[in-house]
C-alpha cells in the first residue's frame, strides 16, 4: 500500500490569498494572467472550431493554464522547451502566434521555424506519449558538451510515467547529470485511466529518488508556485542537477474532442476542481494585491476575443497547403507506393472539408 501523498507546495491559495513569496512583479503577474485568459479563449474557440469541422482533433487544455504559462514564463530564450500535444499555452507564452498554432491544427505541418537558429528553442508538439523525454535529455547533454548555459524543460502528463521512455530519460539524466527539468502536468487522467491506476507510488515526484535526483510536488493551478518551482529547477539543471516537478492540476474538459469524459468520471469531481480554477485564482490575487478592476477584466476579455478571431481568420485564409507534404518525411527515400497513394489525395485539401 502506497504511503499518504504529501501536501503540494503553493504560493497563492485558491481564494487568492498569498501563502508564500510571490516572485513576479506586478507587471509580470498581470502578464501571466493575460496569457492564461488568452490561452483559455483560444482553447474554447478551438473546441468550437472542431465541432464545426474546421480543424482536426484537438486536445483541450482548460484547467491547466497556470501550469503551462507558469512553466514557459520561467524559461529564458536560450532554454529548450519540449511541449506535448496539449501544451498550446506554452507555445503562446514562448511567442508563437495563434495563427501558426491553428495552421498546425489545420494540417499545414509543424509551426516551429527550423530555419531560424536565433528563434526560441521550442520543439514541435509530440503526439506519441513520452517520446520527447529522451530527446530533451539528449539536447540538454549536447548543450552541456557545447558549453551552452541552457537547460531543457520537457513537459508531459501523468500517463507518460507509465512509458519506458520516461524511465530511460530519467535514468540517463541522473547518470549523466543532464541539464533537464522534467515537468509533469498531473491532470489526474491518462485519457480514461486515473492516476491511481498509473502507479502505486504516493506521488509522481518521488520517482526521481530512484534515479538519483530530486523531485518537487507543487500546486499546478497556482501560476506563481509553478513559476517559482520551474525557475529554481532550471537554475539547478544548468548546474548539472536534473529535477522532476509534479504539477498537480486537473483537465476540466475532455482528453481530446473525440473523448467523452462523462464515461469515466463523476461531474461532482469536475465541479470540485472547477472551484480551484487557476484563472479565477490569479484574478483574485490581482484584485487583492494589484488593484485589478472589472474594467481591466472587460478590456482583457475583449482583447483576447479579438486576437483569437483575427488568428482564426488569418489561418483560414492560408492557401499554402501542400498535400504532398504528408509523404515527405515518412521515409528517407521515395517509397514505391507513394505515387499510387498520391493519386488518392485531392489536389485541394479544402475540398474534403
Amino acid at each position: 500500500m502506497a504511503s499518504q501523498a504529501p501536501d503540494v507546495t503553493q504560493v497563492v491559495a485558491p481564494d487568492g490569498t498569498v501563502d508564500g513569496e510571490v516572485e513576479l512583479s506586478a507587471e509580470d503577474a498581470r502578464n501571466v494572467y493575460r496569457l492564461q485568459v488568452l490561452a483559455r479563449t483560444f482553447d474554447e474557440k478551438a473546441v468550437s472550431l472542431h465541432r464545426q469541422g474546421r480543424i482536426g482533433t484537438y486536445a483541450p487544455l482548460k484547467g491547466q493554464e497556470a501550469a503551462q504559462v507558469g512553466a514557459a514564463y520561467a524559461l529564458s530564450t536560450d532554454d529548450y522547451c519540449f511541449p506535448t500535444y496539449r501544451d498550446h499555452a506554452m507555445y503562446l507564452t514562448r511567442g508563437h502566434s495563434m495563427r501558426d498554432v491553428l495552421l498546425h491544427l489545420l494540417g499545414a505541418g509543424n509551426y516551429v521555424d527550423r530555419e531560424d537558429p536565433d528563434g526560441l528553442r521550442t520543439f514541435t508538439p509530440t503526439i506519441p506519449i513520452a517520446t520527447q523525454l529522451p530527446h530533451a535529455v539528449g539536447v540538454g547533454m549536447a548543450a552541456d558538451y557545447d558549453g551552452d548555459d541552457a537547460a531543457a524543460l520537457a513537459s508531459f502528463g501523468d500517463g507518460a510515467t507509465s512509458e519506458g521512455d520516461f524511465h530511460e530519460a530519467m535514468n540517463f539524466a541522473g547518470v549523466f547529470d543532464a541539464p533537464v527539468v522534467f515537468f509533469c502536468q498531473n491532470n489526474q487522467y491518462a485519457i480514461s485511466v486515473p492516476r491511481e491506476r498509473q502507479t502505486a507510488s504516493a506521488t509522481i515526484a518521488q520517482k526521481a529518488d530512484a534515479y538519483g535526483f530530486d523531485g518537487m510536488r507543487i500546486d499546478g493551478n497556482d501560476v506563481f508556485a509553478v513559476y517559482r518551482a520551474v525557475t529554481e529547477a532550471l537554475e539547478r539543471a544548468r548546474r548539472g542537477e536534473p529535477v522532476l516537478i509534479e504539477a498537480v492540476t486537473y483537465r476540466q474538459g475532455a482528453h481530446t474532442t473525440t473523448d467523452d469524459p462523462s464515461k469515466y468520471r463523476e461531474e461532482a469531481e469536475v465541479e470540485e476542481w472547477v472551484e480551484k480554477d487557476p484563472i479565477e485564482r490569479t484574478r483574485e490575487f490581482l484584485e487583492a494585491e494589484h488593484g485589478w478592476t472589472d474594467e481591466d477584466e472587460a478590456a482583457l476579455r475583449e482583447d483576447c476575443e479579438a486576437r483569437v478571431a483575427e488568428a482564426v481568420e488569418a489561418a483560414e485564409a492560408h492557401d499554402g497547403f501542400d498535400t504532398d507534404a504528408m509523404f515527405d518525411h515518412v521515409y528517407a527515400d521515395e517509397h514505391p507506393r507513394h505515387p499510387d497513394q498520391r493519386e488518392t489525395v485531392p489536389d485541394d485539401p479544402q475540398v474534403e472539408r
Side-chain angles (χ1 to χ4, degrees):
M1 179 67 68
S3 59
Q4 181 65 35
D7 292 337
V8 297
T9 300
Q10 65 182 30
V11 172
V12 175
D15 64 358
T17 58
V18 178
D19 192 32
E21 183 180 355
V22 175
E23 298 182 358
L24 287 169
S25 67
E27 185 55 35
D28 282 329
R30 294 188 187 97
N31 283 340
V32 295
Y33 180 61
R34 293 183 185 111
L35 285 164
Q36 287 180 83
V37 173
L38 180 63
R40 181 163 297 184
T41 306
F42 170 84
D43 188 66
E44 291 173 345
K45 183 63 175 179
V47 171
S48 176
L49 290 172
H50 176 267
R51 299 301 186 217
Q52 298 170 50
R54 294 162 67 186
I55 63 172
T57 302
Y58 176 76
L61 63 90
K62 186 176 183 180
Q64 297 179 228
E65 294 88 353
Q68 295 183 21
V69 171
Y73 206 79
L75 292 165
S76 76
T77 55
D78 291 330
D79 290 326
Y80 295 91
C81 184
F82 289 79
T84 73
Y85 52 83
R86 195 184 308 280
D87 290 337
H88 319 295
M90 282 193 172
Y91 286 102
L92 299 181
T93 302
R94 289 285 273 172
H96 294 278
S97 74
M98 278 185 285
R99 170 189 174 274
D100 289 346
V101 176
L102 285 165
L103 281 175
H104 171 74
L105 296 168
L106 283 165
N110 293 318
Y111 47 86
V112 175
D113 186 359
R114 297 190 184 95
E115 304 303 319
D116 180 13
D118 297 321
L120 293 172
R121 301 179 177 192
T122 309
F123 282 67
T124 57
T126 51
I127 306 302
I129 304 303
T131 56
Q132 77 276 20
L133 304 187
H135 299 164
V137 174
V139 167
M141 291 171 65
D144 182 41
Y145 295 158
D146 285 343
D148 187 357
D149 187 23
L153 182 136
S155 175
F156 54 98
D158 46 294
T161 65
S162 294
E163 296 285 342
D165 291 286
F166 167 78
H167 298 280
E168 292 161 5
M170 295 273 284
N171 192 50
F172 260 84
V175 170
F176 293 102
D177 301 322
V180 180
V181 175
F182 296 94
F183 184 70
C184 177
Q185 296 179 61
N186 176 7
N187 67 12
Q188 311 306 314
Y189 287 92
I191 310 182
S192 60
V193 181
R195 193 214 70 92
E196 60 268 19
R197 299 299 295 173
Q198 293 292 333
T199 179
S201 301
T203 72
I204 288 171
Q206 72 190 65
K207 293 180 182 293
D209 294 343
Y211 299 102
F213 53 91
D214 289 340
M216 307 163 64
R217 194 165 191 256
I218 62 172
D219 187 340
N221 284 7
D222 177 358
V223 70
F224 304 105
V226 174
Y227 174 82
R228 185 176 72 178
V230 174
T231 298
E232 175 187 332
L234 287 167
E235 291 172 354
R236 295 177 62 183
R238 294 185 194 105
R239 299 196 300 266
E241 301 174 28
V243 179
L244 169 62
I245 297 175
E246 177 188 358
V248 181
T249 182
Y250 193 77
R251 165 171 55 81
Q252 292 185 22
H255 171 71
T256 71
T257 43
T258 62
D259 171 44
D260 180 3
S262 68
K263 300 293 186 182
Y264 54 83
R265 66 186 189 186
E266 300 295 330
E267 186 61 30
E269 176 185 292
V270 180
E271 290 302 319
E272 180 181 346
W273 278 94
V274 168
E275 292 298 316
K276 306 172 187 177
D277 187 84
I279 291 179
E280 291 303 314
R281 184 184 310 196
T282 312
R283 180 180 177 180
E284 293 279 357
F285 168 81
L286 288 178
E287 288 176 347
E289 300 293 329
H290 297 300
W292 188 262
T293 66
D294 290 343
E295 289 75 19
D296 292 328
E297 186 70 18
L300 172 61
R301 300 282 176 165
E302 182 178 354
D303 178 65
C304 288
E305 292 284 353
R307 291 175 64 184
V308 170
E310 181 181 356
V312 172
E313 182 178 358
E316 293 189 326
H318 179 71
D319 60 1
F321 293 98
D322 180 10
T323 55
D324 272 356
M326 73 175 74
F327 301 100
D328 289 346
H329 304 290
V330 181
Y331 298 98
D333 300 310
E334 177 79 356
H335 193 280
R337 294 182 180 176
H338 279 176
D340 289 340
Q341 291 173 346
R342 282 191 172 92
E343 292 297 320
T344 68
V345 180
D347 292 333
D348 183 0
Q350 306 287 333
V351 169
E352 297 299 318
R353 283 191 175 180

